[in-house]
Amino acid sequence: MKKIIALLLAALMIFAFVACSGGGNGEDESTPTPALGTDATPTEAVVDLTEGGKYMNAPGANGNDAWKLPAYDFPSDTITILYHGEMAAPSIDRFNAFRDIYNLKYEVLAVANDAKVSKFISLSMSGEAPDILIYLFAPSLANKGYAGAWDEYIDFSTGLWDDLQKSLANISMNGKHYFISKTAERHDNLVWINKDIFEELAVKSPVEYYEEGNWNWNTFRECAIATTVDSDSDGTPEIWGLATDDPNAFLITTGMDFVTYNPDGTATNNVKNEEIARGVNFYVDLCVKDNVVYDGGDTKEAFAMGSIAMMMGPLWYRGAFYEAIHAGKIDIVPWPKDPEADKYYISEAFGSYIRGTNSANPQGAAAYMNAARYDILNTDASVPMENDERFDLQIETLEMNDRLQKIMFSDDKYPVLETWASFNVSKFWGEIWFYTLLGEPWATTAEELAPQIDAEIINVLEG
């Protein structure tokens, strides 16, 4: 018995020696407890950023506490989005708050564009409404109970939504928001400038007028007249001062569209207002009296060929002349200000995200919208494409993109909600823009259109 005990004690001594000597490899792999007073590095404690569960445990966008993501209890990890086609999945090499903070994903119910509303209604009636419909401002969807108020799940007074307060006010319905967007779309308000034409004709550039605060209908008209060249006086200029596919722009700059949506859920027919008449007549004078507006085929192609000095058109037109943009031959300014208006008005498309009232995961839908706002504000995590990458994709230069954001979202710009599509006014484009160019007085046209637009308003609000 004594021999057995002695052998056990010897074995323990050998084990202790091996442990202290690092297992016999000559290196000390142990982690000794440091003595008090030494420079010890304690295990870093997990920081709780949730403020008692109010927020997700993640820093705010760009480290700003005002841009933190609110926390939700999700019934599932997936939301459904009804859209007219597949949506590109978030790039795995870029940060995405919906995926990386909320740990959620989405599925797309893809249907034809003209079938989205009927599909949304049928799914809603069967109790299977999608969490989000991406469409446009359609008040009847809210009035009939198919669209739910986002306010039940999103606090629009938080910092994430600060810079969209003007846009949210334009789209509110009796104090609630049924139609929202992750950002305001103002990129239709462009006047593209052919710099070579202005330099060759020694005409003061619209960019100069804009930068000195004097870019309005009057200076715009002066530029159009000065850059229209009809060298053989045959009535067909070799160079046109202006082209536009959107004469409605001149109405918007007065501060109103044909229809104004009101915060109390009603809508106002503006067709007989003085502002509308002023905008229509200004465009007619440019076409008929001044003969400076291009009346040929594809305006984008003509502008790219150097036949037009100024072209009013949206950002996506850039694909027709991206080489000239990257060569520094093209510049941009916003639509000119109405000199009689009290503010600098521009158009805005807003309110394309609609929440299904009885959807399965409204919390997830709210997280999707908050996450989208987070990603926009989280510029520190963004890696902007270089100009050569932008060239390959036929888009504007980084410098032009920065300028675009600066001029469209400056504090002096006031958005007017575009409603002509929502209230079906486009079905009257022929009467509005064709008959007036043929000489029919606008007052006559407006009188004829007023009851028809009234009927469209009723149909949209109640239809």
Side-chain angles (χ1 to χ4, degrees):
M1 185 66 179
K2 290 182 179 179
K3 289 183 178 181
I4 293 174
I5 293 174
L7 289 171
L8 289 173
L9 289 172
L12 288 170
M13 290 177 65
I14 293 171
F15 177 80
F17 175 79
V18 171
C20 290
S21 62
N25 61 4
E27 296 178 5
D28 186 356
E29 295 179 348
S30 63
T31 306
T33 302
L36 292 175
T38 62
D39 294 328
T41 304
T43 302
E44 185 175 343
V46 176
V47 179
D48 183 4
L49 302 175
T50 68
E51 298 185 23
K54 183 178 179 181
Y55 297 101
M56 298 297 292
N57 197 28
N62 279 10
N64 186 341
D65 283 346
W67 294 344
K68 291 171 70 172
L69 286 172
Y72 297 94
D73 290 325
F74 300 112
S76 73
D77 65 353
T78 305
I79 67 169
T80 56
I81 299 177
L82 180 60
Y83 191 56
H84 60 269
E86 290 297 327
M87 294 169 58
S91 175
I92 60 173
D93 61 350
R94 288 180 178 267
F95 178 83
N96 180 269
F98 184 68
R99 177 193 61 207
D100 300 329
I101 295 181
Y102 282 120
N103 295 314
L104 298 177
K105 55 189 176 182
Y106 62 78
E107 295 177 349
V108 178
L109 306 176
V111 298
N113 188 41
D114 59 2
K116 284 194 295 189
V117 172
S118 59
K119 184 67 172 179
F120 180 69
I121 292 174
S122 65
L123 289 172
S124 297
M125 294 180 68
S126 64
E128 300 176 345
D131 297 303
I132 294 176
L133 162 66
I134 303 178
Y135 182 53
L136 52 77
F137 176 60
S140 63
L141 293 178
N143 292 336
K144 290 195 169 185
Y146 298 121
W150 286 98
D151 310 72
E152 298 177 33
Y153 300 94
I154 297 177
D155 181 359
F156 292 107
S157 68
T158 64
L160 286 173
W161 297 89
D162 266 355
D163 63 353
L164 290 179
Q165 292 305 309
K166 291 179 182 176
S167 305
L168 289 166
N170 276 349
I171 210 75
S172 67
M173 299 178 64
N174 296 306
K176 295 186 180 299
H177 303 88
Y178 297 85
F179 308 89
I180 63 174
S181 292
K182 57 187 177 181
T183 189
E185 179 54 63
R186 300 181 183 178
H187 296 159
D188 286 354
N189 297 273
L190 291 175
V191 180
W192 297 93
I193 308 299
N194 186 316
K195 295 167 65 175
D196 286 350
I197 292 177
F198 279 87
E199 291 173 4
E200 290 170 8
L201 297 177
V203 176
K204 186 174 179 177
S205 169
V207 176
E208 294 180 66
Y209 281 117
Y210 178 75
E211 291 179 347
E212 68 185 25
N214 191 28
W215 180 235
N216 55 48
W217 287 6
N218 297 328
T219 52
F220 171 81
R221 187 176 198 167
E222 290 173 11
C223 287
I225 293 173
T227 54
T228 298
V229 178
D230 183 10
S231 57
D232 56 7
S233 301
D234 66 349
T236 303
E238 293 79 41
I239 298 176
W240 295 86
L242 172 66
T244 180
D245 295 328
D246 185 16
N248 200 55
F250 299 113
L251 279 62
I252 297 292
T253 60
T254 70
M256 63 177 60
D257 201 344
F258 283 105
V259 177
T260 296
Y261 184 76
N262 304 314
D264 63 358
T266 64
T268 302
N269 183 351
N270 300 318
V271 71
K272 294 197 289 185
N273 284 25
E274 184 274 332
E275 290 86 353
I276 300 298
R278 190 167 71 249
V280 171
N281 289 329
F282 179 69
Y283 171 71
V284 171
D285 284 347
L286 288 170
C287 294
V288 179
K289 181 179 178 181
D290 301 326
N291 192 32
V292 297
V293 180
Y294 174 73
D295 60 358
D298 190 332
T299 59
K300 301 184 296 298
E301 181 180 352
F303 180 80
M305 295 295 292
S307 301
I308 299 168
M310 299 185 297
M311 178 179 64
M312 299 174 74
L315 181 61
W316 66 267
Y317 276 18
R318 65 197 170 190
F321 42 86
Y322 72 101
E323 292 183 351
I325 291 175
H326 285 264
K329 297 180 178 297
I330 306 295
D331 213 329
I332 54 171
V333 290
W335 291 347
K337 179 184 182 298
D338 173 7
E340 296 186 36
D342 60 337
K343 294 182 178 68
Y344 199 141
Y345 294 106
I346 58 175
S347 76
E348 177 173 280
F350 192 79
S352 55
Y353 288 75
I354 305 166
R355 182 179 72 80
T357 300
N358 62 352
S359 68
N361 195 352
Q363 297 88 346
Y368 182 88
M369 299 308 301
N370 279 317
R373 291 295 305 150
Y374 185 101
D375 288 343
I376 290 170
L377 297 169
N378 197 35
T379 55
D380 288 351
S382 300
V383 181
M385 290 183 293
E386 298 297 332
N387 283 336
D388 55 348
E389 295 177 276
R390 291 171 177 268
F391 182 83
D392 291 340
L393 294 174
Q394 300 186 19
I395 60 177
E396 76 280 2
T397 63
L398 180 60
E399 293 77 13
M400 180 174 283
N401 179 73
D402 290 342
R403 175 171 166 78
L404 181 68
Q405 297 302 315
K406 181 179 178 180
I407 64 178
M408 291 305 172
F409 291 91
S410 58
D411 289 339
D412 68 322
K413 304 300 190 307
Y414 287 82
V416 175
L417 180 67
E418 280 194 351
T419 59
W420 58 266
S422 296
F423 288 93
N424 303 319
V425 179
S426 56
K427 67 167 56 176
F428 308 117
W429 265 189
E431 295 95 315
I432 292 171
W433 303 115
F434 183 70
Y435 292 144
T436 51
L437 290 174
L438 290 179
E440 180 173 297
W442 172 248
T444 302
T445 302
E447 196 67 39
E448 294 173 352
L449 289 176
Q452 299 179 68
I453 294 178
D454 282 337
E456 291 298 327
I457 290 174
I458 293 173
N459 182 58
V460 168
L461 294 180
E462 304 175 3

